[in-house]
Amino acid sequence: MYNKIGIIVAMDLEYNLVHQLLTETRQETHGAYTFLCGKVGTKQVILMRCGIGKVNAACGATELIRSYHPEAVISTGVAGGIDAVLRVMDVVVSREVVYHDVWCGEGNAYGQVQGLPERFSGDARLLATAEGIACKSRIVPGLICSGDKFITDRTELNQIKSAFPDGLAVDMESGAIAQVCHLHEVPFISFRVISDTPGVEAHWDQYENFWGTVAESSFSAIHAFIGSL
């Protein structure tokens, strides 16, 4: 299937957890970015930390593709759950990705960058593999909504759900990485562990508790996914 895989995370906490999954590692620098090259099983993996937000994600994805020509790109890390079906530690895989903070005017769908698809589709083969893995976390395929804001307010959450009733999760990078992969014709999927459910009481405590108690076990789903490719 795919033997050379690029993995993009945003934050140090996510990077450290994915780093533990790789063997035979070495670091390489291209442009402004340091890449960790290694293996998961027999798969060649290039891991990078792009930084938070859409611009960082787009720049990082572009450099990854230019420097390494991966056969597929995975955006992974954490996301906030925005649907009642989700619990902390569930994993949302992107059947589709959309921007929740883009509006290009009449003639475009809300969330659509003019001239590009209304939504970016996850790669069908990657999605099928993700749905079939056996792990502790529950795998839920669906729509991920991306934008340049960490969502905590119930009013903002309701606005996103109103615009995208089928939205399952919110993050800050998947949309930009999906767009870059679309432009470069590289198979893409976002594989996001639910760390919190915005809008609940003591939401920040929930997010902090995720990193303190269940992050490492939930990221084992990523290892199972890559190993199944």
Side-chain angles (χ1 to χ4, degrees), residues 65-100:
I65 292 170
R66 185 192 70 81
S67 299
Y68 291 97
H69 307 287
E71 297 171 3
V73 169
I74 301 168
S75 167
T76 195
V78 299
I82 60 168
D83 193 280
V85 304
L86 293 175
R87 303 179 300 268
V88 171
M89 276 192 69
D90 287 345
V91 176
V92 175
V93 290
S94 61
R95 183 173 282 133
E96 294 180 308
V97 180
V98 70
Y99 294 116
H100 67 70

Side-chain angles (χ1 to χ4, degrees), residues 6-17:
I7 300 179
I8 302 176
V9 300
M11 302 186 297
D12 288 342
L13 289 167
E14 298 164 329
Y15 180 90
N16 292 337
L17 287 169

Side-chain angles (χ1 to χ4, degrees), residues 18 23 43 56 59 71 76 87 107 115 119 126 129 138-140 153 180 188:
V18 179
T23 62
K43 306 296 182 183
N56 280 329
C59 291
E71 297 171 3
T76 195
R87 303 179 300 268
R119 299 179 177 187
L126 292 173
T129 299
R138 184 171 63 127
I139 307 297
V140 186
D153 182 75
V180 170
F188 164 84

Side-chain angles (χ1 to χ4, degrees), residues 1-7 42-46 61 64-74 122-126 181-182 184-189 225-226 229:
M1 194 179 178
Y2 300 117
N3 293 306
K4 184 192 286 188
I5 302 160
I7 300 179
T42 61
K43 306 296 182 183
Q44 182 181 353
V45 173
I46 305 98
L64 170 66
I65 292 170
R66 185 192 70 81
S67 299
Y68 291 97
H69 307 287
E71 297 171 3
V73 169
I74 301 168
D123 179 69
R125 288 190 293 175
L126 292 173
C181 288
H182 171 80
H184 289 273
E185 299 182 339
V186 177
F188 164 84
I189 199 167
F225 174 47
I226 298 169
L229 292 177

Side-chain angles (χ1 to χ4, degrees), residues 70-221:
E71 297 171 3
V73 169
I74 301 168
S75 167
T76 195
V78 299
I82 60 168
D83 193 280
V85 304
L86 293 175
R87 303 179 300 268
V88 171
M89 276 192 69
D90 287 345
V91 176
V92 175
V93 290
S94 61
R95 183 173 282 133
E96 294 180 308
V97 180
V98 70
Y99 294 116
H100 67 70
D101 61 351
V102 168
W103 168 237
C104 290
E106 295 296 329
N108 301 282
Y110 186 76
Q112 179 183 18
V113 176
Q114 187 166 313
L116 292 174
E118 291 184 17
R119 299 179 177 187
F120 300 105
S121 297
D123 179 69
R125 288 190 293 175
L126 292 173
L127 182 62
T129 299
E131 289 182 283
I133 64 173
C135 63
K136 295 179 181 179
S137 299
R138 184 171 63 127
I139 307 297
V140 186
L143 175 65
I144 296 175
C145 307
S146 290
D148 276 321
K149 191 167 186 180
F150 187 85
I151 305 297
T152 59
D153 182 75
R154 171 58 64 179
T155 301
E156 292 179 300
L157 175 62
N158 290 342
Q159 290 171 346
I160 295 172
K161 282 295 287 184
S162 177
F164 305 102
D166 54 337
L168 293 182
V170 288
D171 75 354
M172 298 177 67
E173 295 82 32
S174 291
I177 299 170
Q179 180 176 334
V180 170
C181 288
H182 171 80
L183 293 172
H184 289 273
E185 299 182 339
V186 177
F188 164 84
I189 199 167
S190 186
F191 193 89
R192 292 280 174 157
V193 180
I194 298 301
S195 61
D196 57 291
T197 48
V200 302
E201 188 176 349
H203 164 256
W204 185 255
D205 290 341
Q206 185 187 49
Y207 178 74
E208 290 285 294
N209 289 338
F210 170 83
W211 290 111
T213 58
V214 299
E216 188 164 355
S217 61
S218 60
F219 269 68
S220 65

